[in-house]
Amino acid sequence: MARKYALEQFRNIGIIAHIDAGKTTTTERILYYTGKTHKIGSVDDGTTVTDWMEQERERGITIVSAAVSAVWNHHLVNIIDTPGHIDFTAEVQRSLRVLDGGVVVFDAVQGVEPQSETVWRQADLYRVPRVCFVNKMDRVGASYERTLDMIRDRLGANAVALQVPIGVENEFEGVIDLITKKAYIWEDHTGCAPEEVAIPADLLDQVEKSRNQLIEKVAETNEELTLKFLEEDSIDEDEIKTALRRAVINNQITPVLCGSSLISTGVQSLLDAVIDYLPSPLDIPPVEGSDPKTNQIITRKPADEEPLSALVFKIVTDPYVGRLAYIRIYSGTIEQGTTVFNPGKQKRERVGRLIRMYADRREDIAKASAGDIAAVLGLKNSFTGDTLCETGSPIILENISFPDPVIMVAIEPKTTADQEKLSTALKKLSEEDPTFQVRVDGDTGQTLISGMGELHLEVLVDRMLREFKVQARVGRPRVAYKESITRPVDKLDYRHVKQTGGHGQYGHVVINLEPGKDGSGIVFEDEIKGGVIPREYISAVEKGILAAAESGVLAGYPVTDVKVTLVDGSFHEVDSSDLAFKMAGSMAFRQGIQKGSPVLQEPIMKVEVVIPEEFLGDIIGQINSRRGDVQGMDNHPGSSQGVRAMVPLSEMFGYATELRSATKGRGAFTMEFDHYSKVSEELSRKIVVGV
């Protein structure tokens, strides 16, 4: 079956931004203008296409990323609307991993906000080309120029304005395209096409100046245009657009447009920019992976004739059809009813159904090809980050990395009948969300669930009740501390010897421990020489060490950032076994941690508080009293001040109430995880006693 759209007509994009910048409203307008919907939905009314979960509609925020497809100017645009709240950052991370381009939405009043910086860094990590949309230009305090400056200063982007706004705040009515030198206004807000008008006389000088700045920036990325610009030759529209497209795809320039999605102004121009400047699958480098046997680098071109390579980037438990796996196909094709191979798990998987998702609605398709984003029903062993390929042409694509959870609560079923349902719900939810983790406390027997914040866990518990009908009691939130060591331990010698009737148990290991790099987790290295420990027992030693690392020696928190090297040991021809070496590795590790001057580490949050200037002194005092470290201050619209600080998560519980009280309800704050830091000895003793 021939493709309906050629690969160069594909655009796989994500809408990313800080919470409440207008991502979902922008997506809703895009769907309306492209003919996918016939009525514009509202976030406030809970009628948007992409915010389809009950929890999203009740809270008025995006919680899970939703995939939709639309057609604009004979191009197929696959769009993923992502959450803005920091608690759901994993949704942004995995979406950016598989997208070719991004639209970053900014609030014209607030400019670059904390989560804007986070999503920008995530896009930098995956080298995703972007266009920016300065939204809410009709609001009081809106400033296009200030937002442009913030994008350049705070994000380090080479931001270039493609438009000049006509009017501002309640007089905002349209935009002037700097490339074509045409002005457009939107006379009403019913989604009509813009009307072309003459450039207002008072804006002619500004348009000329801004256009010259645009051409200069574009010319810097292209030798031919640089010569033309220096020689003051005229540069036509097509030359500018071609050079600008190349510069955007190479992440040399970030184009900036403006509008107001709520009053349906400027969104058609944004769609044109997506088609004109963001890459198709053919514009990005061929995907790289490794051969599972030789670890050699393999590349796959985005072509249907190439062997299949696809990445599972999201798992969803659908109450009607079962477990759906969202995939991005980088090369080759995948058909309904065929068998694919998961090289990481060494398992074959049958493609039961192939589905094109439209938020929560599904459309069965027979085949998906290179460049497509689709969903597969029927995969049993494939999860987020796994690769799907052909058995005869195996490849493992780069996995997706996620941040560790920073907050946890104890959970228990209300009745015996809820026990089994709770286990099922926790298993399915942890398969969906890599930042949601479940473990059982070895000392208390409590089930502990961990996530990225209070809202994250609140939503998951709510889903247990509504989707899985589980009645559960939930404890108070606790900080997810970690344990590590501060000094190396050499040649920790441990023998596990146990003699019972029949075969005994014998496992002997010698390990070195040393503090690892921040965020490295537990790193295991095998330096056994001469077969003093047989190869088949090495993995058992590693399993024992990883199991022991789940519960530290100070307060039972997970151990992290430790490098363990297996250097020596011995075995017994008859009594040695996997179990014996697993026990030896586990006990050696625990003893080594005790000798390595163990310390507690706590999560430190990057906090930004926005308050009226009159309360600045009180708020800095509050932050200092919570062991915070003020990093800097910013001026905000309307004589407001932004205070940036690093504060331990344990000190942020209850801060919202204190802030509202101190500022008469006029203060607000956002926070996100930044790093783990060593806890002082005095505080560590209090934490250990309190556990």
Side-chain angles (χ1 to χ4, degrees):
M1 189 173 71
R3 276 178 175 274
K4 190 174 180 182
Y5 294 95
L7 260 178
E8 57 267 23
Q9 294 173 302
F10 271 62
R11 297 292 181 274
N12 293 318
I13 65 163
I15 312 286
I16 56 177
H18 183 90
I19 189 170
D20 203 32
K23 296 178 304 302
T24 302
T25 304
T26 303
T27 306
E28 200 65 29
R29 270 39 179 199
I30 289 172
L31 295 177
Y32 180 73
Y33 297 139
T34 54
K36 291 296 287 189
T37 57
H38 303 289
K39 182 183 177 185
I40 296 176
S42 163
V43 172
D44 294 334
D45 297 339
T47 55
T48 59
V49 171
T50 52
D51 283 356
W52 54 269
M53 286 175 66
E54 287 179 45
Q55 292 87 347
E56 293 178 310
R57 291 179 170 174
E58 287 170 2
R59 291 170 171 82
I61 61 170
T62 303
I63 291 171
V64 296
S65 53
V68 290
S69 298
V71 176
W72 183 256
N73 286 352
H74 310 294
H75 286 72
L76 179 68
V77 185
N78 291 317
I79 305 164
I80 296 185
D81 177 28
T82 64
H85 198 288
I86 188 62
D87 283 15
F88 309 105
T89 188
E91 291 288 330
V92 184
Q93 193 97 342
R94 58 176 156 202
S95 299
L96 286 171
R97 169 66 179 82
V98 298
L99 292 170
D100 301 329
V103 174
V104 189
V105 182
F106 296 94
D107 183 329
V109 180
Q110 301 298 334
V112 175
E113 298 175 89
Q115 184 66 1
S116 310
E117 295 184 55
T118 303
V119 297
W120 195 272
R121 285 199 308 271
Q122 289 171 325
D124 280 343
L125 179 68
Y126 295 116
R127 293 191 54 76
V128 176
R130 281 143 275 178
V131 299
C132 296
F133 183 60
V134 180
N135 191 24
K136 304 189 181 184
M137 286 294 296
D138 59 319
R139 284 185 57 199
V140 175
S143 173
Y144 185 49
E145 288 299 328
R146 187 185 64 246
T147 305
L148 266 167
D149 289 340
M150 291 179 78
I151 293 170
R152 292 172 184 134
D153 296 341
R154 290 184 64 167
L155 303 178
N158 187 15
V160 176
L162 297 193
Q163 296 173 337
V164 168
I166 301 173
V168 72
E169 297 183 349
N170 63 339
E171 295 180 0
F172 175 70
E173 58 178 347
V175 298
I176 301 165
D177 187 316
L178 293 175
I179 296 178
T180 61
K181 292 178 76 172
K182 291 178 180 178
Y184 301 94
I185 62 168
W186 283 258
E187 287 200 325
D188 60 42
H189 308 313
T190 59
C192 65
E195 179 189 346
E196 187 179 332
V197 296
I199 297 174
D202 61 329
L203 291 175
L204 284 170
D205 288 345
Q206 186 184 342
V207 167
E208 202 58 42
K209 180 184 173 186
S210 298
R211 191 174 193 272
N212 284 335
Q213 288 173 346
L214 165 64
I215 293 172
E216 184 179 355
K217 288 279 189 183
V218 174
E220 286 173 1
T221 67
N222 183 289
E223 284 186 23
E224 283 183 37
L225 293 191
T226 302
L227 288 171
K228 276 193 169 187
F229 182 77
L230 292 173
E231 292 169 6
E232 298 186 0
D233 287 350
S234 65
I235 300 173
D236 64 39
E237 291 173 20
D238 288 341
E239 286 179 305
I240 297 171
K241 283 190 172 183
T242 302
L244 180 56
R245 176 179 175 79
R246 195 178 301 118
V248 172
I249 291 169
N250 292 334
N251 280 297
Q252 294 170 291
I253 285 180
T254 305
V256 183
L257 301 94
C258 63
S260 175
S261 298
L262 191 63
I263 62 169
S264 305
T265 304
V267 180
Q268 292 102 325
S269 305
L270 174 63
L271 273 167
D272 289 339
V274 165
I275 304 303
D276 290 342
Y277 306 120
L278 290 182
S280 75
L282 292 174
D283 293 315
I284 58 173
V287 69
E288 286 190 349
S290 59
D291 186 308
K293 292 180 181 175
T294 64
N295 285 330
Q296 285 186 318
I297 298 297
I298 309 171
T299 58
R300 294 271 166 89
K301 295 175 184 174
D304 296 356
E305 304 76 37
E306 288 271 301
L308 172 68
S309 61
L311 185 74
V312 179
F313 69 94
K314 182 178 168 75
I315 297 291
V316 173
T317 303
D318 190 294
Y320 302 106
V321 297
R323 192 159 72 85
L324 280 167
Y326 282 68
I327 60 169
R328 161 69 196 265
I329 303 171
Y330 287 97
S331 64
T333 59
I334 189 167
E335 294 185 36
Q336 190 169 302
T338 57
T339 299
V340 295
F341 183 58
N342 180 334
K345 304 276 174 62
Q346 290 292 303
K347 298 272 188 184
R348 290 171 181 264
E349 296 269 36
R350 188 174 182 279
V351 179
R353 282 170 65 190
L354 202 55
I355 297 166
R356 192 176 305 287
M357 295 300 296
Y358 182 66
D360 60 331
R361 300 201 285 279
R362 295 164 291 277
E363 173 197 341
D364 278 276
I365 54 176
K367 178 180 177 181
S369 309
D372 266 333
I373 291 175
V376 178
L377 191 66
L379 304 184
K380 291 183 169 61
N381 302 296
S382 300
F383 299 96
T384 301
D386 284 351
T387 302
L388 301 178
C389 61
E390 293 173 9
T391 311
S393 302
I395 184 174
I396 296 180
L397 302 176
E398 182 191 351
N399 208 325
I400 311 172
S401 57
F402 296 102
D404 289 332
V406 296
I407 193 169
M408 63 184 175
V409 297
I411 188 168
E412 60 182 33
K414 281 189 176 178
T415 66
T416 310
D418 287 314
Q419 179 73 53
E420 191 173 332
K421 286 195 285 186
L422 177 65
S423 299
T424 303
L426 292 176
K427 181 175 183 289
K428 288 184 175 178
L429 290 171
S430 61
E431 286 176 358
E432 278 189 31
D433 187 346
T435 59
F436 174 62
Q437 295 179 5
V438 183
R439 72 182 181 94
V440 176
D441 189 300
D443 298 326
T444 64
Q446 282 184 311
T447 300
L448 300 174
I449 57 174
S450 306
M452 298 307 296
E454 291 178 82
L455 179 62
H456 186 200
L457 294 179
E458 180 189 316
V459 167
L460 288 166
V461 170
D462 192 37
R463 286 186 61 194
M464 281 183 222
L465 176 64
R466 297 191 195 193
E467 293 175 31
F468 300 96
K469 314 298 181 204
V470 178
Q471 299 285 341
R473 294 189 191 91
V474 181
R476 293 181 61 185
R478 293 190 285 164
V479 176
Y481 292 102
K482 291 188 177 182
E483 299 183 21
S484 193
I485 58 173
T486 55
R487 63 185 181 85
V489 178
D490 289 333
K491 297 194 175 172
L492 193 292
D493 193 315
Y494 185 84
R495 290 173 198 269
H496 177 71
V497 182
K498 198 170 183 182
Q499 195 61 49
T500 55
H503 286 313
Q505 289 184 31
Y506 182 90
H508 172 216
V509 297
V510 180
I511 60 173
N512 293 340
L513 278 72
E514 59 184 288
K517 294 178 182 176
D518 289 347
S520 61
I522 302 295
V523 177
F524 176 78
E525 284 193 2
D526 166 26
E527 289 189 1
I528 292 296
K529 295 181 175 66
V532 292
I533 297 177
R535 197 80 353 235
E536 62 265 26
Y537 296 141
I538 303 291
S539 62
V541 176
E542 184 178 6
K543 285 177 186 173
I545 288 167
L546 293 176
E550 291 178 6
S551 178
V553 299
L554 288 176
Y557 292 109
V559 179
T560 188
D561 299 346
V562 177
K563 182 183 176 185
V564 186
T565 309
L566 179 62
V567 293
D568 203 357
S570 63
F571 74 105
H572 188 277
E573 290 284 356
V574 177
D575 292 345
S576 286
S577 64
D578 277 0
L579 178 61
F581 273 98
K582 185 177 178 181
M583 288 298 297
S586 174
M587 296 306 295
F589 181 77
R590 288 188 71 81
Q591 287 187 11
I593 294 296
Q594 285 173 330
K595 292 182 177 181
S597 299
V599 291
L600 278 181
Q601 294 182 335
E602 63 180 343
I604 304 296
M605 312 302 284
K606 184 165 72 174
V607 178
E608 177 156 347
V609 189
V610 179
I611 34 89
E613 198 166 356
E614 63 203 85
F615 301 112
L616 184 61
D618 294 341
I619 297 313
I620 289 177
Q622 279 183 358
I623 291 170
N624 289 334
S625 70
R626 290 173 177 265
R627 296 194 288 125
D629 178 20
V630 175
Q631 305 279 299
M633 285 174 277
D634 301 304
N635 290 318
H636 281 249
S639 71
S640 289
Q641 283 281 336
V643 181
R644 289 177 283 114
M646 294 290 182
V647 189
L649 174 62
S650 59
E651 302 289 345
M652 291 303 295
F653 292 128
Y655 183 59
T657 305
E658 186 182 334
L659 178 64
R660 280 196 294 267
S661 175
T663 60
K664 300 177 183 175
R666 295 162 66 195
F669 80 96
T670 57
M671 70 174 181
E672 61 175 291
F673 170 72
D674 192 80
H675 66 281
Y676 270 87
S677 179
K678 179 184 171 185
V679 176
S680 68
E681 286 188 26
E682 182 185 352
L683 187 60
S684 181
R685 282 194 293 272
K686 289 180 183 176
I687 295 167
V688 171
V689 169
V691 171

